[in-house]
Amino acid sequence: MNVQTLASAVTVAAALALAPGSAAGQTKTPDIHGYFSPDAPDASHSLEEGAEPENSIGRGRTPAQVAEGLKNRRVLIVNPAPGPKIPYQPWARAKQRELLDALFTPMKITDIEPEDRCAPMGVPRMNYRFDFEIEQSAGMVTILYSWNHAFRAIPLDGRPHAPASIKLFNGDSRGHWEGNTLVVDVTNFNDQTWFDAHGTIHTDALHVVERWTVVDANTINYEATLDDPKAFTRPWTIAFPIRRIKDAKYELYEEACFEGNGTTIEGMLEAGRYLTAKGVKGRHEHSPGFYDEK
């Protein structure tokens, strides 16, 4: 065997060793194509406080039942345990309180939470808002979301992140497989999104690492660790299952929301101006004092 033939043989062997499902013992990439629904009730409304009592928890229930429902609600914040408080720096918690006060009597469009303005929802919030579809190819995972016609393209080919100067609502995603887990590194955020409707802000230093672990043909365990040295005292993690939608007739409908959401926004602002003129003040919270941390 000459040198050229030997080199070719080594190249082919190396390629086979790195190929998914090859004889070198690599496992086949899991199939995550399909429609899915997050099992994360009320997280988009509030990661920390949960459901709004007069909404899903409060329908047809007594005050005692509402209180019990809030006490026993599922907590998605798993680290720091037992949750549900986000480890905010004092300035960031104070800013959240300002936003919650503004939400009660909004006077300008930025007093209204981004989702109601039809702004992009960001990561990880877009994953626990509503149903979505995952498209899968050798070098890319694409996620199409029904809420607010959002989408994500997650390259798997090892390309670097976009330059740090580029800031995006949904960040810049790069993924790779670790066994049956799709690990997605998300950077390049702007500071315009919230993690829920309760003023849960971050800065443009946010860094999110997602882990989409395939448990079986119909279940993905989702985990996201969020780090922002400008806003948090430490990284924190949320986790929840995602279920495959098995209805053969299911269709993903686009929520045709448009930025500004004119009529709805004007109604909110009109109500806020009216209440402010009457001297009414308040805070959008379920439990009085919940956000008044020392």
Side-chain angles (χ1 to χ4, degrees):
M1 181 181 292
N2 59 35
V3 174
Q4 184 176 0
T5 303
L6 177 61
S8 298
V10 170
T11 300
V12 171
L16 288 173
L18 294 174
S22 71
Q26 294 290 326
T27 58
K28 184 179 180 181
T29 299
D31 180 9
I32 56 173
H33 174 270
Y35 298 109
F36 292 88
S37 183
D39 185 2
D42 306 305
S44 188
H45 182 77
S46 175
L47 281 173
E48 295 180 297
E49 280 202 275
E52 197 165 9
E54 59 268 29
N55 192 1
S56 57
I57 284 183
R59 292 173 186 159
R61 300 188 184 187
T62 66
Q65 288 172 324
V66 170
E68 188 69 12
L70 285 172
K71 187 176 80 171
N72 295 323
R73 71 180 182 83
R74 278 181 49 201
V75 176
L76 300 189
I77 300 174
V78 296
N79 187 5
K85 291 295 186 74
I86 295 170
Y88 272 128
Q89 295 178 21
W91 79 264
R93 184 64 84 182
K95 179 63 177 177
Q96 182 190 35
R97 290 195 294 267
E98 291 178 14
L99 292 169
L100 289 168
D101 292 345
L103 277 170
F104 194 84
T105 52
M107 297 290 289
K108 57 185 184 298
I109 192 168
T110 51
D111 291 340
I112 298 170
E113 80 114 331
E115 180 187 330
D116 288 342
R117 292 185 263 126
C118 294
M121 301 184 70
V123 177
R125 187 179 182 184
M126 61 201 311
N127 295 321
Y128 49 77
R129 181 59 183 93
F130 209 58
D131 300 345
F132 52 83
E133 179 183 6
I134 299 178
E135 297 283 352
Q136 189 176 9
S137 63
M140 185 78 68
V141 169
T142 303
I143 309 178
L144 308 175
Y145 297 89
S146 58
W147 189 260
N148 205 5
H149 50 258
F151 68 91
R152 293 174 68 190
I154 305 172
L156 307 178
D157 57 6
R159 72 183 69 176
H161 281 290
S165 59
I166 296 176
K167 303 296 183 181
L168 306 166
F169 278 89
N170 295 332
D172 185 54
S173 298
R174 298 290 184 267
H176 67 275
W177 284 98
E178 294 181 0
N180 64 335
T181 299
L182 175 63
V183 181
V184 185
D185 188 77
V186 196
T187 61
N188 297 72
F189 289 98
N190 63 28
D191 61 358
Q192 300 302 302
T193 62
W194 298 0
F195 300 126
D196 58 30
H198 274 210
T200 52
I201 60 168
H202 59 84
T203 75
D204 62 0
L206 177 65
H207 178 201
V208 178
V209 177
E210 302 173 290
R211 298 184 67 85
W212 303 68
T213 300
V214 180
V215 178
D216 54 44
N218 298 312
T219 310
I220 297 173
N221 281 347
Y222 178 84
E223 180 180 288
T225 298
L226 301 89
D227 190 17
D228 184 342
K230 294 182 181 179
F232 311 143
T233 60
R234 53 159 292 175
W236 52 286
T237 301
I238 64 171
F240 56 89
I242 296 172
R243 316 287 187 191
R244 183 182 295 276
I245 299 172
K246 294 183 283 187
D247 184 353
K249 296 182 179 180
Y250 178 86
E251 294 182 45
L252 192 71
Y253 286 93
E254 177 186 41
E255 173 67 26
C257 198
F258 58 92
E259 191 171 359
N261 203 4
T263 304
T264 301
I265 294 299
E266 284 305 315
M268 291 178 174
L269 293 176
E270 184 177 350
R273 293 172 188 134
Y274 174 82
L275 292 173
T276 299
K278 293 291 185 180
V280 176
K281 294 182 179 180
R283 178 174 294 170
H284 183 79
E285 60 182 3
H286 306 158
S287 306
F290 184 88
Y291 299 97
D292 291 330
E293 296 179 343
K294 300 296 184 181

